[in-house]
Amino acid sequence: MSNEKTNVQSERKDYPILEKMKNLPGGLVIIPLVIAVVIATFIPQFFQIGGYVTALFYEGNACMMGFFLIVCGSMIDVKQVGLPLYKGVVMTGVKFLLGVIVGVVVGKLCGPQGFLGIAPFVFIAAITNSNSSLYISLSSQFGNATDTGAVSILALNDGPFFTLIALGATGLANIPINSLIAVIIPLLIGFVWGNLDKGFRNACKAAQPIVTFFMTISIGAKTDVKTILKAGASGIVLGLISAATAVLFFFIINLLLPKKERNAMGAAIGTTALNSAMTPAAVAEADPTLANSVSLATAQCATASIITLFLCPFITAAFDKYMQKRQKAMNPDAMDDAAAGSVCAILLVLASALLTGFNIYPSLVKWGGAGALVPITGFANSVAAPAIEFQKEGQVFGIG
C-alpha cells in the first residue's frame, strides 16, 4: 500500500509556474499586475471581502514593501571591497544624480503634471532604479568579476529609498524624515542579518520572487484596465528615455574608472527596474497628496521596465563592439585572442625543450611538482629528453 502511495506521489506532475514567470521578461511584475487589474475591473468586490483577503491583496502593500526592503538589504555584501565597491558607488551615484536632474528639470519646465503625462517623481523612480538581474547577466558577457561584484552596491537602488531621498531633497514631494527612517530601518535589518548569516541571505534571495508577486497584486488591486491603457504610450516614452540614459552612463562611468577597467558595463545600468513599479505606492505612503497618481505611475514604470529590458542588451552589445574597434585602432599590431594563445603555446614548448636540453627541467619538476607537468610543457619534455639521451646513437632527426 505504501509503495502505491509513493508511486502516485512520484507520478504527480509538477507545474513550474513561478519558474516560467521568472523566465518571462518582467513576468513577476506584469503577470500579477494584469491579474489584479482584471479582477479589480470586472470583480472589484473580490478585494473587499474583508479579513485576510483584503489585508493581503488590497491593504498589504506597505507590509510587503517593508519585507521587500529587508530582502534588498540582505543582498548588500560588506565583503565586496576595493574595485567592486568603487564601481558600485560610482554607478549608483551617477544613476541617482542623473535621475534627480531629469526629474527636477521636468518639474521646473512642465510642473507637477510632468512631460506627456509622466510626472517628475515617475522620472526619478524610473531612472534611479536599475535592473540588477539583467546587469549581472550582462556582466558575465561584457564585464569581469569586479563588475559583477559591484551589484552588491547597485542593489541599494532596488526599491523606493533613493526616490524618497531625491523627492524630499528637491521639494518635488513632501517626504517627512520619519518616512526616510522607516525605509532605512528594514534595509539595515536585512543588511546586518544578511552579512552575519549566509543562510538568511539565501532565504531572502529565494523569497524575493514571491514577495514581488504578492506586493504587485496589492498595487494592481487599486488599478483598472482604463488606467493601464492610458499609461501605454507614456510608459513606452518613459522606457525609451530611460534606455537612452545608457549612452550617458557609458561615457560618464568610463571617465571615472581606471583605463584598464573601462568596458561597456556602464551602459548596462541604463534600465528601469521591474521593482520600480512598486515605488509610486511607497511614495504615496510617504506623501498622500500623490495617491491619485499611483495607478498611472505604476503602469508607466512597469511598461518602461519592459522596454529597457529588451533595449539595454542591444545597447550594451553595441558599445562593447565600439570599444573593441577602438582598442584595435589604437593597437593595430595587437594580436587577437586566438593568435596570442598560439604564440603562448609555441613559447611554452620552446622554453620546455631548451630547459630540458640544459638539464634544468628535472629540477623544475622537483620544485614545482605537478605544476611543471602541464600538457604542453610535459609533452615538449617527453619529446626532447629521449632525443638528447640517445643522441650518441647517431643523427637525431627522426630518421634512424
Side-chain angles (χ1 to χ4, degrees), residues 193-232:
W193 197 347
N195 280 281
L196 292 175
D197 185 354
K198 188 178 179 181
F200 177 77
R201 175 178 292 164
N202 292 336
C204 285
K205 188 175 181 180
Q208 185 171 359
I210 300 170
V211 176
T212 301
F213 181 90
F214 286 104
M215 183 162 60
T216 307
I217 283 186
S218 68
I219 294 170
K222 303 175 183 69
T223 310
D224 56 25
V225 172
K226 290 180 182 178
T227 306
I228 297 293
L229 294 175
K230 185 180 177 183

mmCIF file of all heavy atoms in Angstrom, residues 193-232:
data_model
loop_
_atom_site.group_PDB
_atom_site.id
_atom_site.type_symbol
_atom_site.label_atom_id
_atom_site.label_comp_id
_atom_site.label_asym_id
_atom_site.label_seq_id
_atom_site.Cartn_x
_atom_site.Cartn_y
_atom_site.Cartn_z
ATOM 1 N N TRP A 193 21.727 41.364 9.153
ATOM 2 C CA TRP A 193 21.429 39.933 9.274
ATOM 3 C C TRP A 193 22.009 39.155 8.086
ATOM 4 O O TRP A 193 22.577 38.072 8.253
ATOM 5 C CB TRP A 193 19.920 39.742 9.366
ATOM 6 C CG TRP A 193 19.514 38.378 9.889
ATOM 7 C CD1 TRP A 193 20.297 37.277 10.031
ATOM 8 C CD2 TRP A 193 18.210 37.989 10.340
ATOM 9 N NE1 TRP A 193 19.581 36.221 10.533
ATOM 10 C CE2 TRP A 193 18.288 36.628 10.733
ATOM 11 C CE3 TRP A 193 16.998 38.660 10.431
ATOM 12 C CZ2 TRP A 193 17.178 35.946 11.210
ATOM 13 C CZ3 TRP A 193 15.895 37.961 10.910
ATOM 14 C CH2 TRP A 193 15.986 36.626 11.302
ATOM 15 N N GLY A 194 21.890 39.720 6.889
ATOM 16 C CA GLY A 194 22.399 39.031 5.697
ATOM 17 C C GLY A 194 23.904 38.860 5.706
ATOM 18 O O GLY A 194 24.433 37.874 5.182
ATOM 19 N N ASN A 195 24.647 39.825 6.294
ATOM 20 C CA ASN A 195 26.102 39.718 6.348
ATOM 21 C C ASN A 195 26.584 38.846 7.504
ATOM 22 O O ASN A 195 27.701 38.326 7.471
ATOM 23 C CB ASN A 195 26.732 41.111 6.452
ATOM 24 C CG ASN A 195 26.804 41.807 5.102
ATOM 25 O OD1 ASN A 195 27.674 41.536 4.300
ATOM 26 N ND2 ASN A 195 25.851 42.700 4.843
ATOM 27 N N LEU A 196 25.727 38.676 8.530
ATOM 28 C CA LEU A 196 26.075 37.790 9.636
ATOM 29 C C LEU A 196 25.690 36.346 9.352
ATOM 30 O O LEU A 196 26.328 35.414 9.838
ATOM 31 C CB LEU A 196 25.377 38.258 10.925
ATOM 32 C CG LEU A 196 25.847 39.582 11.525
ATOM 33 C CD1 LEU A 196 24.967 39.949 12.719
ATOM 34 C CD2 LEU A 196 27.305 39.491 11.955
ATOM 35 N N ASP A 197 24.653 36.170 8.552
ATOM 36 C CA ASP A 197 24.072 34.839 8.341
ATOM 37 C C ASP A 197 23.848 34.595 6.847
ATOM 38 O O ASP A 197 22.920 35.148 6.247
ATOM 39 C CB ASP A 197 22.748 34.751 9.096
ATOM 40 C CG ASP A 197 22.114 33.372 9.044
ATOM 41 O OD1 ASP A 197 22.640 32.493 8.329
ATOM 42 O OD2 ASP A 197 21.090 33.165 9.715
ATOM 43 N N LYS A 198 24.707 33.774 6.258
ATOM 44 C CA LYS A 198 24.593 33.471 4.827
ATOM 45 C C LYS A 198 23.280 32.747 4.519
ATOM 46 O O LYS A 198 22.683 32.934 3.458
ATOM 47 C CB LYS A 198 25.786 32.616 4.393
ATOM 48 C CG LYS A 198 25.877 32.411 2.887
ATOM 49 C CD LYS A 198 27.108 31.601 2.517
ATOM 50 C CE LYS A 198 27.174 31.370 1.009
ATOM 51 N NZ LYS A 198 28.366 30.553 0.647
ATOM 52 N N GLY A 199 22.831 31.911 5.454
ATOM 53 C CA GLY A 199 21.573 31.190 5.259
ATOM 54 C C GLY A 199 20.389 32.135 5.141
ATOM 55 O O GLY A 199 19.472 31.912 4.343
ATOM 56 N N PHE A 200 20.412 33.227 5.935
ATOM 57 C CA PHE A 200 19.343 34.226 5.861
ATOM 58 C C PHE A 200 19.361 34.914 4.502
ATOM 59 O O PHE A 200 18.311 35.144 3.900
ATOM 60 C CB PHE A 200 19.517 35.263 6.969
ATOM 61 C CG PHE A 200 18.502 36.376 6.926
ATOM 62 C CD1 PHE A 200 17.210 36.170 7.367
ATOM 63 C CD2 PHE A 200 18.849 37.629 6.442
ATOM 64 C CE1 PHE A 200 16.268 37.195 7.326
ATOM 65 C CE2 PHE A 200 17.920 38.652 6.404
ATOM 66 C CZ PHE A 200 16.623 38.438 6.845
ATOM 67 N N ARG A 201 20.565 35.234 4.017
ATOM 68 C CA ARG A 201 20.674 35.880 2.706
ATOM 69 C C ARG A 201 20.115 34.977 1.608
ATOM 70 O O ARG A 201 19.383 35.427 0.725
ATOM 71 C CB ARG A 201 22.132 36.226 2.400
ATOM 72 C CG ARG A 201 22.342 36.793 1.005
ATOM 73 C CD ARG A 201 23.791 37.151 0.769
ATOM 74 N NE ARG A 201 24.193 38.279 1.596
ATOM 75 C CZ ARG A 201 25.448 38.620 1.830
ATOM 76 N NH1 ARG A 201 26.426 37.907 1.309
ATOM 77 N NH2 ARG A 201 25.723 39.660 2.577
ATOM 78 N N ASN A 202 20.453 33.693 1.674
ATOM 79 C CA ASN A 202 19.949 32.748 0.668
ATOM 80 C C ASN A 202 18.433 32.616 0.749
ATOM 81 O O ASN A 202 17.749 32.499 -0.277
ATOM 82 C CB ASN A 202 20.615 31.391 0.846
ATOM 83 C CG ASN A 202 22.093 31.422 0.508
ATOM 84 O OD1 ASN A 202 22.551 32.268 -0.254
ATOM 85 N ND2 ASN A 202 22.866 30.513 1.086
ATOM 86 N N ALA A 203 17.907 32.623 1.990
ATOM 87 C CA ALA A 203 16.451 32.522 2.164
ATOM 88 C C ALA A 203 15.749 33.746 1.581
ATOM 89 O O ALA A 203 14.703 33.632 0.925
ATOM 90 C CB ALA A 203 16.123 32.375 3.654
ATOM 91 N N CYS A 204 16.334 34.923 1.796
ATOM 92 C CA CYS A 204 15.755 36.161 1.241
ATOM 93 C C CYS A 204 15.798 36.149 -0.280
ATOM 94 O O CYS A 204 14.846 36.579 -0.941
ATOM 95 C CB CYS A 204 16.517 37.372 1.774
ATOM 96 S SG CYS A 204 16.132 37.792 3.485
ATOM 97 N N LYS A 205 16.909 35.651 -0.821
ATOM 98 C CA LYS A 205 17.042 35.589 -2.278
ATOM 99 C C LYS A 205 15.973 34.681 -2.874
ATOM 100 O O LYS A 205 15.394 34.986 -3.928
ATOM 101 C CB LYS A 205 18.435 35.064 -2.640
ATOM 102 C CG LYS A 205 18.755 35.142 -4.123
ATOM 103 C CD LYS A 205 20.188 34.717 -4.391
ATOM 104 C CE LYS A 205 20.523 34.819 -5.871
ATOM 105 N NZ LYS A 205 21.922 34.397 -6.145
ATOM 106 N N ALA A 206 15.697 33.564 -2.183
ATOM 107 C CA ALA A 206 14.677 32.628 -2.666
ATOM 108 C C ALA A 206 13.273 33.214 -2.508
ATOM 109 O O ALA A 206 12.379 32.951 -3.320
ATOM 110 C CB ALA A 206 14.786 31.306 -1.910
ATOM 111 N N ALA A 207 13.078 34.046 -1.468
ATOM 112 C CA ALA A 207 11.745 34.591 -1.191
ATOM 113 C C ALA A 207 11.412 35.809 -2.031
ATOM 114 O O ALA A 207 10.230 36.163 -2.172
ATOM 115 C CB ALA A 207 11.644 34.967 0.290
ATOM 116 N N GLN A 208 12.406 36.452 -2.623
ATOM 117 C CA GLN A 208 12.179 37.712 -3.334
ATOM 118 C C GLN A 208 11.111 37.616 -4.433
ATOM 119 O O GLN A 208 10.239 38.488 -4.522
ATOM 120 C CB GLN A 208 13.479 38.248 -3.919
ATOM 121 C CG GLN A 208 13.325 39.619 -4.575
ATOM 122 C CD GLN A 208 14.664 40.238 -4.947
ATOM 123 O OE1 GLN A 208 15.710 39.659 -4.707
ATOM 124 N NE2 GLN A 208 14.631 41.413 -5.531
ATOM 125 N N PRO A 209 11.127 36.576 -5.282
ATOM 126 C CA PRO A 209 10.085 36.491 -6.321
ATOM 127 C C PRO A 209 8.671 36.412 -5.747
ATOM 128 O O PRO A 209 7.739 36.995 -6.300
ATOM 129 C CB PRO A 209 10.446 35.206 -7.083
ATOM 130 C CG PRO A 209 11.889 34.972 -6.791
ATOM 131 C CD PRO A 209 12.107 35.481 -5.408
ATOM 132 N N ILE A 210 8.517 35.703 -4.631
ATOM 133 C CA ILE A 210 7.192 35.545 -4.022
ATOM 134 C C ILE A 210 6.715 36.878 -3.447
ATOM 135 O O ILE A 210 5.554 37.268 -3.613
ATOM 136 C CB ILE A 210 7.241 34.460 -2.917
ATOM 137 C CG1 ILE A 210 7.665 33.118 -3.536
ATOM 138 C CG2 ILE A 210 5.892 34.316 -2.230
ATOM 139 C CD1 ILE A 210 7.970 32.046 -2.526
ATOM 140 N N VAL A 211 7.626 37.587 -2.768
ATOM 141 C CA VAL A 211 7.284 38.900 -2.209
ATOM 142 C C VAL A 211 6.890 39.856 -3.330
ATOM 143 O O VAL A 211 5.898 40.587 -3.233
ATOM 144 C CB VAL A 211 8.467 39.475 -1.398
ATOM 145 C CG1 VAL A 211 8.138 40.874 -0.896
ATOM 146 C CG2 VAL A 211 8.808 38.562 -0.232
ATOM 147 N N THR A 212 7.683 39.850 -4.400
ATOM 148 C CA THR A 212 7.400 40.723 -5.544
ATOM 149 C C THR A 212 6.028 40.431 -6.131
ATOM 150 O O THR A 212 5.261 41.355 -6.445
ATOM 151 C CB THR A 212 8.474 40.531 -6.633
ATOM 152 O OG1 THR A 212 9.762 40.827 -6.087
ATOM 153 C CG2 THR A 212 8.224 41.445 -7.821
ATOM 154 N N PHE A 213 5.698 39.157 -6.269
ATOM 155 C CA PHE A 213 4.417 38.753 -6.867
ATOM 156 C C PHE A 213 3.245 39.306 -6.069
ATOM 157 O O PHE A 213 2.355 39.985 -6.609
ATOM 158 C CB PHE A 213 4.341 37.219 -6.939
ATOM 159 C CG PHE A 213 3.077 36.695 -7.563
ATOM 160 C CD1 PHE A 213 3.008 36.481 -8.926
ATOM 161 C CD2 PHE A 213 1.963 36.419 -6.787
ATOM 162 C CE1 PHE A 213 1.836 36.004 -9.512
ATOM 163 C CE2 PHE A 213 0.792 35.942 -7.356
ATOM 164 C CZ PHE A 213 0.727 35.733 -8.725
ATOM 165 N N PHE A 214 3.211 39.042 -4.766
ATOM 166 C CA PHE A 214 2.055 39.442 -3.958
ATOM 167 C C PHE A 214 2.018 40.945 -3.696
ATOM 168 O O PHE A 214 0.938 41.523 -3.546
ATOM 169 C CB PHE A 214 2.039 38.657 -2.645
ATOM 170 C CG PHE A 214 1.614 37.225 -2.836
ATOM 171 C CD1 PHE A 214 2.544 36.199 -2.811
ATOM 172 C CD2 PHE A 214 0.291 36.901 -3.071
ATOM 173 C CE1 PHE A 214 2.163 34.886 -2.998
ATOM 174 C CE2 PHE A 214 -0.105 35.586 -3.265
ATOM 175 C CZ PHE A 214 0.829 34.571 -3.229
ATOM 176 N N MET A 215 3.187 41.586 -3.647
ATOM 177 C CA MET A 215 3.192 43.039 -3.485
ATOM 178 C C MET A 215 2.617 43.711 -4.729
ATOM 179 O O MET A 215 1.888 44.707 -4.632
ATOM 180 C CB MET A 215 4.615 43.534 -3.219
ATOM 181 C CG MET A 215 4.701 45.034 -2.964
ATOM 182 S SD MET A 215 6.222 45.533 -2.172
ATOM 183 C CE MET A 215 7.410 44.981 -3.372
ATOM 184 N N THR A 216 2.928 43.166 -5.909
ATOM 185 C CA THR A 216 2.405 43.734 -7.151
ATOM 186 C C THR A 216 0.893 43.559 -7.244
ATOM 187 O O THR A 216 0.190 44.432 -7.759
ATOM 188 C CB THR A 216 3.080 43.080 -8.372
ATOM 189 O OG1 THR A 216 4.491 43.167 -8.226
ATOM 190 C CG2 THR A 216 2.681 43.781 -9.661
ATOM 191 N N ILE A 217 0.374 42.458 -6.720
ATOM 192 C CA ILE A 217 -1.085 42.262 -6.699
ATOM 193 C C ILE A 217 -1.748 43.334 -5.849
ATOM 194 O O ILE A 217 -2.778 43.913 -6.229
ATOM 195 C CB ILE A 217 -1.433 40.852 -6.175
ATOM 196 C CG1 ILE A 217 -1.177 39.808 -7.268
ATOM 197 C CG2 ILE A 217 -2.905 40.782 -5.747
ATOM 198 C CD1 ILE A 217 -1.605 38.414 -6.932
ATOM 199 N N SER A 218 -1.163 43.642 -4.681
ATOM 200 C CA SER A 218 -1.762 44.654 -3.807
ATOM 201 C C SER A 218 -1.718 46.043 -4.438
ATOM 202 O O SER A 218 -2.552 46.900 -4.137
ATOM 203 C CB SER A 218 -1.044 44.679 -2.453
ATOM 204 O OG SER A 218 0.273 45.150 -2.576
ATOM 205 N N ILE A 219 -0.746 46.278 -5.335
ATOM 206 C CA ILE A 219 -0.677 47.557 -6.060
ATOM 207 C C ILE A 219 -1.715 47.572 -7.186
ATOM 208 O O ILE A 219 -2.460 48.537 -7.365
ATOM 209 C CB ILE A 219 0.734 47.782 -6.639
ATOM 210 C CG1 ILE A 219 1.746 47.964 -5.501
ATOM 211 C CG2 ILE A 219 0.755 48.997 -7.560
ATOM 212 C CD1 ILE A 219 3.184 47.940 -5.959
ATOM 213 N N GLY A 220 -1.776 46.471 -7.946
ATOM 214 C CA GLY A 220 -2.711 46.382 -9.066
ATOM 215 C C GLY A 220 -4.167 46.344 -8.652
ATOM 216 O O GLY A 220 -5.056 46.685 -9.441
ATOM 217 N N ALA A 221 -4.429 45.965 -7.388
ATOM 218 C CA ALA A 221 -5.808 45.872 -6.905
ATOM 219 C C ALA A 221 -6.497 47.233 -6.875
ATOM 220 O O ALA A 221 -7.726 47.321 -6.840
ATOM 221 C CB ALA A 221 -5.840 45.252 -5.510
ATOM 222 N N LYS A 222 -5.707 48.307 -6.896
ATOM 223 C CA LYS A 222 -6.268 49.667 -6.855
ATOM 224 C C LYS A 222 -6.260 50.320 -8.247
ATOM 225 O O LYS A 222 -6.392 51.537 -8.372
ATOM 226 C CB LYS A 222 -5.473 50.519 -5.864
ATOM 227 C CG LYS A 222 -5.434 49.924 -4.448
ATOM 228 C CD LYS A 222 -4.548 50.742 -3.541
ATOM 229 C CE LYS A 222 -4.457 50.126 -2.163
ATOM 230 N NZ LYS A 222 -3.730 48.866 -2.120
ATOM 231 N N THR A 223 -6.039 49.495 -9.290
ATOM 232 C CA THR A 223 -5.947 49.999 -10.658
ATOM 233 C C THR A 223 -7.008 49.315 -11.520
ATOM 234 O O THR A 223 -7.482 48.240 -11.175
ATOM 235 C CB THR A 223 -4.540 49.692 -11.234
ATOM 236 O OG1 THR A 223 -3.556 50.118 -10.305
ATOM 237 C CG2 THR A 223 -4.308 50.401 -12.551
ATOM 238 N N ASP A 224 -7.363 49.932 -12.641
ATOM 239 C CA ASP A 224 -8.297 49.276 -13.569
ATOM 240 C C ASP A 224 -7.719 49.296 -14.988
ATOM 241 O O ASP A 224 -6.670 49.897 -15.237
ATOM 242 C CB ASP A 224 -9.688 49.909 -13.537
ATOM 243 C CG ASP A 224 -9.645 51.405 -13.832
ATOM 244 O OD1 ASP A 224 -8.687 51.860 -14.495
ATOM 245 O OD2 ASP A 224 -10.559 52.118 -13.384
ATOM 246 N N VAL A 225 -8.396 48.642 -15.908
ATOM 247 C CA VAL A 225 -7.917 48.490 -17.283
ATOM 248 C C VAL A 225 -7.743 49.839 -17.970
ATOM 249 O O VAL A 225 -6.802 50.047 -18.738
ATOM 250 C CB VAL A 225 -8.882 47.589 -18.094
ATOM 251 C CG1 VAL A 225 -8.488 47.584 -19.568
ATOM 252 C CG2 VAL A 225 -8.864 46.166 -17.544
ATOM 253 N N LYS A 226 -8.652 50.791 -17.700
ATOM 254 C CA LYS A 226 -8.573 52.108 -18.338
ATOM 255 C C LYS A 226 -7.232 52.788 -18.023
ATOM 256 O O LYS A 226 -6.624 53.419 -18.886
ATOM 257 C CB LYS A 226 -9.728 52.991 -17.869
ATOM 258 C CG LYS A 226 -11.089 52.565 -18.392
ATOM 259 C CD LYS A 226 -12.178 53.494 -17.880
ATOM 260 C CE LYS A 226 -13.552 53.038 -18.373
ATOM 261 N NZ LYS A 226 -14.625 53.916 -17.831
ATOM 262 N N THR A 227 -6.793 52.646 -16.790
ATOM 263 C CA THR A 227 -5.526 53.271 -16.384
ATOM 264 C C THR A 227 -4.354 52.652 -17.132
ATOM 265 O O THR A 227 -3.438 53.347 -17.576
ATOM 266 C CB THR A 227 -5.318 53.110 -14.870
ATOM 267 O OG1 THR A 227 -6.455 53.622 -14.179
ATOM 268 C CG2 THR A 227 -4.077 53.856 -14.406
ATOM 269 N N ILE A 228 -4.378 51.318 -17.268
ATOM 270 C CA ILE A 228 -3.299 50.622 -17.972
ATOM 271 C C ILE A 228 -3.222 51.079 -19.427
ATOM 272 O O ILE A 228 -2.138 51.354 -19.956
ATOM 273 C CB ILE A 228 -3.509 49.092 -17.910
ATOM 274 C CG1 ILE A 228 -3.463 48.604 -16.465
ATOM 275 C CG2 ILE A 228 -2.468 48.370 -18.748
ATOM 276 C CD1 ILE A 228 -2.116 48.735 -15.797
ATOM 277 N N LEU A 229 -4.386 51.169 -20.087
ATOM 278 C CA LEU A 229 -4.414 51.590 -21.489
ATOM 279 C C LEU A 229 -3.935 53.038 -21.627
ATOM 280 O O LEU A 229 -3.218 53.386 -22.574
ATOM 281 C CB LEU A 229 -5.832 51.466 -22.048
ATOM 282 C CG LEU A 229 -6.377 50.029 -22.163
ATOM 283 C CD1 LEU A 229 -7.832 50.044 -22.606
ATOM 284 C CD2 LEU A 229 -5.529 49.198 -23.115
ATOM 285 N N LYS A 230 -4.299 53.865 -20.666
ATOM 286 C CA LYS A 230 -3.889 55.263 -20.688
ATOM 287 C C LYS A 230 -2.379 55.394 -20.521
ATOM 288 O O LYS A 230 -1.739 56.284 -21.089
ATOM 289 C CB LYS A 230 -4.613 56.024 -19.572
ATOM 290 C CG LYS A 230 -4.364 57.524 -19.580
ATOM 291 C CD LYS A 230 -5.128 58.196 -18.451
ATOM 292 C CE LYS A 230 -4.830 59.686 -18.415
ATOM 293 N NZ LYS A 230 -5.521 60.351 -17.279
ATOM 294 N N ALA A 231 -1.794 54.489 -19.745
ATOM 295 C CA ALA A 231 -0.355 54.561 -19.461
ATOM 296 C C ALA A 231 0.483 53.972 -20.579
ATOM 297 O O ALA A 231 1.703 54.161 -20.589
ATOM 298 C CB ALA A 231 -0.047 53.812 -18.163
ATOM 299 N N GLY A 232 -0.126 53.270 -21.515
ATOM 300 C CA GLY A 232 0.632 52.558 -22.545
ATOM 301 C C GLY A 232 1.620 53.422 -23.298
ATOM 302 O O GLY A 232 2.827 53.182 -23.259
#
